Amino acid sequence: MSQWDTLEKDGQVTVEEFEDYYKDISASVDNDDEFELIVRNAWHIAGGEGWCENTTIPRHLVTDADGRQHVEMAKGSENFSYSKDLNRNWGGEV
């Protein structure tokens, strides 16, 4: 969390600190599509098109009862939890 908590070291990340962090990251990225992919993958955000579509959310081949197949995106990564158990996910405290 220390990479975001930069303006006031209080254990709370403000919107301004979060935006400043990503402004610094974006300065080293060549184009908007690549930056979008970085953010989507880092935060497990579904979406994007073509080569900048999220690649960190697992996808599963589903076969319907009638034999049709389609790929569906899982609701989250198997090794990432959106729970508030921050000690397990981020090494921090609530």
Side-chain angles (χ1 to χ4, degrees), residues 7 10 37 41 46-47 52 55 62-63 74 80 83:
L7 299 177
D10 57 2
L37 178 62
N41 284 343
C52 59
T55 57
V62 176
T63 304
F80 183 89
S83 72

Side-chain angles (χ1 to χ4, degrees), residues 30-54:
D30 292 334
N31 61 59
D32 290 345
D33 288 340
E34 187 175 352
F35 180 72
E36 178 183 349
L37 178 62
I38 290 168
V39 173
R40 285 186 183 282
N41 284 343
W43 292 97
H44 298 264
I45 300 170
E49 294 183 14
W51 72 270
C52 59
E53 183 175 5
N54 173 291

Side-chain angles (χ1 to χ4, degrees), residues 39-47 54-58 73-90 94:
V39 173
R40 285 186 183 282
N41 284 343
W43 292 97
H44 298 264
I45 300 170
N54 173 291
T55 57
T56 61
I57 298 175
M73 204 177 323
K75 294 292 183 195
S77 176
E78 276 107 273
N79 55 3
F80 183 89
S81 173
Y82 293 99
S83 72
K84 290 192 176 193
D85 183 3
L86 296 180
N87 287 323
R88 187 171 65 81
N89 293 329
W90 303 105
V94 177

